[in-house]
C-alpha cells in the first residue's frame, strides 16, 4: 500500500485515540448560560498558561482575531500589521466588515516588524487621519514560513504601544511553535499583549477551536461579540476537552514536527530543481522550484504526497502530528527521484 502524506497544513490532523477518549468523557453544559464546565476549565487553563486574566473559547482563529480587533478598535480607527498578516490577507476583509477599521501595512522581514518600523506609521491626532489604535503581530508568521518573534523583539513594540496608547494583539495561531523554537516562556506573554489568539486546531491537533485571551472586561465584551457573530455555542465542552488534552499532551511534541521540517528543508536544499529554501525555524518549509510549482505538486500527488503552492514557483510543506518519520523518509525519497 502506498503511503499518503498530507503536508498542506497542520489543520488536517485527526484526533488521536487519547483525545477522542477525553472528548467522549467530557462534562458539558450550555455555554451560552455559562454552564459548560469543560469550556470554563479550558478558558481558565489557557489564560493561566499565558499569564492573562480570562479566555473565550471560539470555533476558529479567524473568529478570535476578528473579535479581538472589534474589542480593541472603534469604527474609523486604523490598525497596523505586516503586509503578510493573516488578519489582513486571509480573513476575507473582516477588519473592514466587522470593525469598520482600515489597515496600515508594513514591509517586515518574513512578516516580522519592529518598533522602529511601527512608530512613524502611527498617525498624529489630526481630523484628516484615521485614529491608530491597534497593532497586530503574528507568531509564528504563517506567510513568513513559520518565522518567529522572540520576547526580546516584542518588548520594544509593547513599550511603544503603551507609550502611544495603542492596544497590542497577538495572532498566536502557532504560538506554541514559536515558544518551542525561541525557548521563551508562555507566562511572560501576558505582560506584553492586550489580546492573544491561541489556536488549538493547528499544531496542537484538535478538530476545532481557538481561545481568545485578554483581561476580564475585554472578554466580557468579546463574549457579546461572539454571540452577535453566531458563535454562542452550547455543549461545545466536547471540543474544549480536546483542547485541554492537547495542551497537556501535544505541546512537548512540537519539536518533532520542527525536526521533520528541518530535515525536509535540508534535503530540499541539496536538489538541483529547487532554487531556494527559506530557512526553516518551525514546522513550515517554503521552497522555490525551477519548474512551475503546479507541475511539482502533480508529481508529488502521484506518490500520495499532498502539498500546496503559495506562488507560481513556491511550494509549502507543513509538518504536524500526523506526519510520522516513515512518511518523512518517503517524501525525501520521492523528492530525490525527480
Ligand atoms: C490558521 C490561521 C489563523 C486562523 O485560522 P482558522 O482557520 O480561522 O482557525 C489565524 N492566523 C494564522 C496566522 C493562521 O495560520
Amino acid at each position: 500500500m502506498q503511503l499518503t502524506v498530507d503536508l498542506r497544513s497542520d489543520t488536517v490532523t485527526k484526533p488521536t485515540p487519547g483525545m477522542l477518549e477525553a472528548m467522549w468523557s467530557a462534562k458539558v453544559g450550555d455555554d451560552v448560560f455559562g454552564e459548560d464546565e469543560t469550556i470554563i476549565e479550558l478558558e481558565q487553563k489557557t489564560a493561566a498558561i499565558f499569564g492573562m486574566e480570562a479566555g473565550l473559547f471560539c470555533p476558529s482563529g479567524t473568529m478570535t482575531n476578528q473579535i479581538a480587533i472589534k474589542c480593541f478598535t472603534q469604527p474609523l480607527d486604523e490598525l497596523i500589521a505586516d503586509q503578510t498578516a493573516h488578519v489582513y490577507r486571509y480573513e476575507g476583509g473582516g477588519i473592514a466588515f466587522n470593525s469598520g477599521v482600515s489597515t496600515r501595512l508594513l514591509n517586515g522581514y518574513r512578516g516580522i516588524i519592529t518598533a522602529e518600523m511601527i512608530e512613524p506609521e502611527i498617525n498624529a491626532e489630526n481630523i484628516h487621519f484615521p485614529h491608530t489604535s491597534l497593532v497586530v503581530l503574528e507568531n509564528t508568521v504563517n506567510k513568513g514560513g513559520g518565522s518567529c518573534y522572540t520576547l526580546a523583539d516584542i518588548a520594544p513594540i509593547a513599550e511603544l504601544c503603551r507609550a502611544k496608547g495603542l492596544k497590542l494583539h497577538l495572532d498566536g495561531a502557532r504560538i506554541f511553535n514559536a515558544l518551542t523554537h525561541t525557548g521563551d516562556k508562555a507566562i511572560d506573554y501576558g505582560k506584553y499583549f492586550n489580546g492573544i489568539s491561541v489556536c488549538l486546531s493547528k499544531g496542537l491537533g484538535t478538530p476545532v477551536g481557538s481561545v481568545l485571551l485578554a483581561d476580564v472586561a475585554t472578554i466580557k465584551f468579546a463574549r457579546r461579540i461572539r454571540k452577535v457573530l453566531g458563535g454562542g455555542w452550547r455543549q461545545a465542552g466536547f471540543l474544549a476537552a480536546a483542547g485541554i488534552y492537547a495542551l497537556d499532551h501535544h505541546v512537548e511534541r512540537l519539536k518533532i514536527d520542527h525536526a521533520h521540517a528541518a530535515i525536509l528543508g535540508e534535503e530540499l536544499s541539496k536538489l538541483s530543481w529547487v532554487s531556494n529554501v527559506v530557512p526553516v525555524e518551525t514546522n513550515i518549509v517554503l521552497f522555490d522550484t525551477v519548474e512551475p510549482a503546479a507541475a511539482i505538486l502533480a508529481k508529488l500527488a502521484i506518490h500520495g504526497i499532498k502539498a500546496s503552492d503559495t506562488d507560481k514557483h513556491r511550494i509549502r510543506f507543513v509538518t504536524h502530528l500526523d506526519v510520522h518519520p516513515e512518511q518523512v523518509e518517503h517524501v525525501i525519497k520521492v523528492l530525490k527521484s525527480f
Side-chain angles (χ1 to χ4, degrees):
M1 199 185 77
Q2 179 172 267
L3 274 175
T4 59
V5 191
D6 196 340
L7 299 171
R8 288 173 301 170
S9 174
D10 41 8
T11 55
V12 300
T13 56
K14 308 270 170 62
T16 60
M19 182 178 282
L20 281 172
E21 185 59 40
M23 294 170 75
W24 281 123
S25 48
K27 292 202 179 75
V28 299
D30 190 323
D31 184 52
V32 174
F33 296 139
E35 291 174 0
D36 190 303
E37 57 188 276
T38 309
I39 292 181
I40 293 169
E41 185 188 339
L42 171 68
E43 291 172 345
Q44 290 178 348
K45 182 182 176 77
T46 314
I49 289 170
F50 286 91
M52 303 287 275
E53 283 181 14
L56 182 70
F57 185 40
C58 293
S60 70
T62 298
M63 191 185 279
T64 53
N65 283 334
Q66 291 297 319
I67 291 174
I69 292 164
K70 184 68 198 159
C71 288
F72 296 137
T73 61
Q74 293 295 324
L76 307 180
D77 283 358
E78 186 161 88
L79 68 77
I80 295 175
D82 180 76
Q83 54 99 6
T84 61
H86 193 282
V87 292
Y88 175 74
R89 283 207 186 211
Y90 303 109
E91 298 186 11
I95 295 171
F97 184 75
N98 295 317
S99 298
V101 164
S102 59
T103 307
R104 182 83 66 103
L105 297 172
L106 307 185
N107 274 310
Y109 173 69
R110 294 182 66 187
I112 306 285
I113 56 177
T114 63
E116 290 70 35
M117 296 168 68
I118 294 166
E119 185 159 16
E121 306 297 331
I122 300 170
N123 288 331
E125 203 50 52
N126 178 314
I127 199 169
H128 296 90
F129 304 150
H131 173 67
T132 311
S133 58
L134 175 65
V135 173
V136 179
L137 306 181
E138 192 174 306
N139 204 15
T140 71
V141 184
N142 181 345
K143 190 97 173 124
S147 45
C148 295
Y149 286 89
T150 63
L151 276 177
D153 300 326
I154 290 165
I157 297 173
E159 197 172 307
L160 173 69
C161 289
R162 212 161 290 166
K164 299 285 184 180
L166 311 185
K167 296 288 200 286
L168 183 59
H169 174 68
L170 177 68
D171 176 354
R174 296 190 180 82
I175 182 59
F176 286 106
N177 296 91
L179 292 167
T180 300
H181 179 71
T182 61
D184 286 333
K185 298 278 166 284
I187 189 86
D188 294 326
Y189 268 71
K191 291 188 213 127
Y192 297 112
F193 288 96
N194 301 98
I196 302 179
S197 290
V198 179
C199 184
L200 304 167
S201 71
K202 293 230 161 109
L204 295 196
T206 74
V208 168
S210 282
V211 182
L212 175 63
L213 305 176
D215 63 22
V216 170
T218 302
I219 291 300
K220 188 171 177 215
F221 185 62
R223 201 172 289 279
R224 179 173 276 275
I225 302 303
R226 188 188 64 174
K227 188 79 179 82
V228 169
L229 295 175
W233 47 8
R234 306 293 179 175
Q235 288 75 15
F238 293 115
L239 297 169
I244 292 168
Y245 182 90
L247 290 170
D248 288 338
H249 297 94
H250 290 172
V251 173
E252 269 297 305
R253 61 156 306 288
L254 288 173
K255 56 180 185 277
I256 299 171
D257 300 342
H258 294 192
H260 286 161
I263 294 167
L264 288 168
E266 197 183 314
E267 293 296 333
L268 282 162
S269 65
K270 297 177 192 162
L271 302 174
S272 61
W273 55 270
V274 173
S275 58
N276 173 48
V277 182
V278 176
V280 177
E281 292 187 17
T282 52
N283 70 328
I284 299 176
V285 186
L286 294 178
F287 61 99
D288 300 323
T289 55
V290 177
E291 271 180 89
I296 303 291
L297 290 184
K299 287 201 270 184
L300 287 169
I302 294 168
H303 298 278
I305 301 163
K306 293 179 186 174
S308 40
D309 45 347
T310 65
D311 224 322
K312 270 214 175 74
H313 288 267
R314 176 161 283 195
I315 291 176
R316 186 180 84 156
F317 287 169
V318 186
T319 57
H320 51 75
L321 90 176
D322 286 342
V323 177
H324 302 288
E326 64 275 16
Q327 290 168 305
V328 176
E329 272 171 41
H330 172 66
V331 173
I332 291 169
K333 205 187 297 165
V334 170
L335 292 172
K336 282 180 169 168
S337 73
F338 292 171

